[in-house]
Amino acid sequence: IDVYQAWCGPCKAVVNLFRKLKNEFSEDDLLHFAVAEADSIVTLKAFRNKCEPVFLFCINGKIISIVRGANAPLLSKKI
């Protein structure tokens, strides 16, 4: 999940990376990408007022890892 704030918007720097990875994993049910505006979701309150992108990795609704910043190699490794 790409967590963003309205004044900044989703992280465009990693959109191409996500598209590439999604194509590499041919099974649609295996990997999903989403964006979420921190200001409109109460459970994302901890991520508000930050000036860096935050990426949450979840399995079965639970956050298992967090990556702060648009670090493409680290995001690829986590995925």
Side-chain angles (χ1 to χ4, degrees):
I1 304 168
D2 176 0
V3 179
Y4 71 96
Q5 293 190 56
W7 55 267
C8 185
C11 186
K12 293 180 174 97
V14 296
V15 169
N16 288 335
L17 169 68
F18 287 163
R19 281 190 188 130
K20 177 182 172 263
L21 292 170
K22 182 70 175 170
N23 287 334
E24 287 177 9
F25 291 94
S26 58
E27 294 185 39
D28 287 337
D29 292 336
L30 183 63
L31 185 63
H32 300 278
F33 297 107
V35 293
E37 184 181 350
D39 294 330
S40 22
I41 301 172
V42 174
T43 55
L44 297 176
K45 184 178 181 178
F47 302 104
R48 294 178 188 165
N49 301 317
K50 310 284 187 215
C51 61
E52 65 181 351
V54 176
F55 300 91
L56 307 178
F57 294 84
C58 305
I59 293 180
N60 296 325
K62 298 201 185 247
I63 296 172
I64 59 161
S65 187
I66 298 173
V67 173
R68 295 179 187 278
N71 183 334
L74 182 56
L75 288 167
S76 293
K77 182 179 177 182
K78 292 285 183 182
I79 292 169

